[in-house]
Amino acid sequence: MKFINKIVLGTMKLKKYFNNSKDLSIFLDYAHEKGIKQIHISSEYDSYNLIKKSLKKIKQKKFSFILKLAEPKTDKNKFNLRRFKKKIYQYRKDLGPSNNFTIQLVNRYQCNNNKEYLIYQQSLFDKIKRTIVKLKKIKVINNFYFFPYHKERIKIKKRGFIDGITCYRNINEKHFDNFAKKNKFEIIAMRTFGGNNKIIKKDNLKRLIQFNLKNKIVKKVIVGINNKERLNQLMNVC
C-alpha cells in the first residue's frame, strides 16, 4: 500500500450503486479507514446530494476534496469571478469547512474552439490570480488545478498559483504528459480504467493503476470504486 495516499475516490456514478445515504456512509467510512481519504466530487454529478447526506453521518472523519468546479457551465458564457467564488464557498458549506479543498477549474467557454479557448484561458488566469493566491493564504482552498481542453504547443506563462492539471491519463491516453512536463505541472489523473471505453479486465487492474501511481509526474489518481470487494482489490495492488 505504498501509493495509497495518491488514490482519490471518484464519485460520479456512485448513485447507480447506492440507494440511500446510510449504505453510502458505511462505504465512505470503510474507505477512510483503509486510508483513502481523498474524494473527487462535483455538484454537477447526480450523486452529489446523496454524498452530502452520507458525509454528514460520518462528519467526524476528515477528507480532502478535489472539487470539479465548472465556471462557466456552458461554452457560450464567459467566466464570472463572483460566481466562481460563490461556488467555492457553497462547496465548503456543503462538505464542511474543516476539510481540505483543491479546485479543479473547468472553463468551458469556447472549449470547442482551440484558438479562441487558449487565448481566453490565458486572460482568465490573469484575472483570477489574485483571488486564488488570497484564497490559499486564508486557507479557503489548498491547491488549484485546471482541466485543459486543449494544450499549448509552447510553454505557457509561468503562474505560481497553478499547481497542475487534471486530465485523462491511462495506458492509451498520455496526450498531456509533455505539456505537463514542459510547464512543470503535476497531474491529477482521471479515467485510469478508460472511462466509457473500458480497458479494465480481470487480470490487468494492477497494470492499469500502477501505470499512474508509479509515474512521478502524477500527483493523484482518481479511481471509480463502488464496493468493498473492489476497494480491497485496489488496496492489494497499490
Side-chain angles (χ1 to χ4, degrees):
M1 297 193 299
K2 180 180 178 182
F3 299 107
I4 195 65
N5 63 332
K6 294 179 78 169
I7 295 293
V8 180
L9 183 67
T11 63
M12 184 171 68
K13 297 182 180 180
L14 279 183
K15 195 174 180 181
K16 290 176 60 178
Y17 304 98
F18 293 93
N19 296 318
N20 58 75
S21 58
K22 180 180 178 180
D23 290 344
L24 180 52
S25 68
I26 292 172
F27 174 68
L28 294 176
D29 185 59
Y30 183 79
H32 191 281
E33 291 296 323
K34 291 296 183 179
I36 299 178
K37 302 177 181 180
Q38 301 178 93
I39 297 177
H40 182 249
I41 197 167
S42 174
S43 58
E44 293 186 320
Y45 296 163
D46 290 339
S47 60
Y48 186 67
N49 288 328
L50 181 62
I51 294 169
K52 281 197 305 179
K53 293 178 182 177
S54 302
L55 289 170
K56 288 179 181 178
K57 296 181 183 298
I58 53 171
K59 58 184 178 182
Q60 73 278 12
K61 299 293 175 71
K62 187 173 182 179
F63 287 93
S64 293
F65 293 99
I66 298 175
L67 309 174
K68 177 185 174 184
L69 198 162
E71 176 51 43
K73 282 191 173 184
T74 73
D75 63 348
K76 304 299 181 185
N77 299 319
K78 289 190 176 183
F79 177 89
N80 182 284
L81 185 58
R82 180 177 294 180
R83 254 194 333 252
F84 174 69
K85 291 192 290 186
K86 184 177 179 180
K87 289 175 182 179
I88 293 174
Y89 281 98
Q90 186 62 54
Y91 270 126
R92 284 172 54 85
K93 181 180 178 181
D94 288 347
L95 304 173
S98 64
N99 295 299
N100 295 321
F101 297 93
T102 291
I103 299 299
Q104 173 203 332
L105 175 63
V106 179
N107 165 36
R108 294 195 177 116
Y109 179 67
Q110 295 284 11
C111 63
N112 295 312
N113 184 322
N114 189 330
K115 184 178 180 180
E116 291 298 320
Y117 173 84
L118 292 172
I119 292 172
Y120 186 75
Q121 182 85 315
Q122 298 313 309
S123 66
L124 172 57
F125 288 149
D126 291 334
K127 180 184 296 185
I128 66 174
K129 176 182 176 180
R130 291 179 63 184
T131 297
I132 298 301
V133 170
K134 181 179 179 180
L135 290 176
K136 284 185 175 184
K137 185 176 181 180
I138 62 177
K139 298 183 178 180
V140 170
I141 64 173
N142 299 86
N143 302 98
F144 177 83
Y145 287 70
F146 71 96
F147 181 87
Y149 278 98
H150 306 283
K151 52 185 179 292
E152 300 268 17
R153 292 185 178 180
I154 59 174
K155 186 175 180 179
I156 69 170
K157 179 181 175 182
K158 178 65 177 175
R159 295 174 174 85
F161 71 92
I162 300 176
D163 297 292
I165 60 174
T166 56
C167 63
Y168 306 139
R169 190 179 192 278
N170 54 60
I171 58 174
N172 294 332
E173 292 183 276
K174 296 169 282 187
H175 314 310
F176 285 94
D177 280 19
N178 288 335
F179 173 72
K181 290 174 183 176
K182 187 182 296 182
N183 291 284
K184 297 182 180 179
F185 287 153
E186 297 173 336
I187 288 177
I188 297 178
M190 301 184 290
R191 292 191 181 176
T192 301
F193 302 144
N196 292 329
N197 300 316
K198 288 185 178 180
I199 53 178
I200 188 168
K201 301 175 183 177
K202 290 182 179 180
D203 59 351
N204 71 348
L205 174 63
K206 183 175 182 179
R207 180 190 174 207
L208 294 182
I209 196 69
Q210 291 198 356
F211 172 77
N212 276 320
L213 289 179
K214 289 188 173 182
N215 194 301
K216 292 182 179 179
I217 200 172
V218 177
K219 181 71 172 179
K220 302 179 189 297
V221 184
I222 300 171
V223 182
I225 298 291
N226 52 63
N227 61 68
K228 292 181 180 180
E229 179 183 0
R230 195 58 180 273
L231 191 145
N232 289 332
Q233 292 174 354
L234 176 68
M235 303 289 290
N236 289 334
V237 299
C238 285

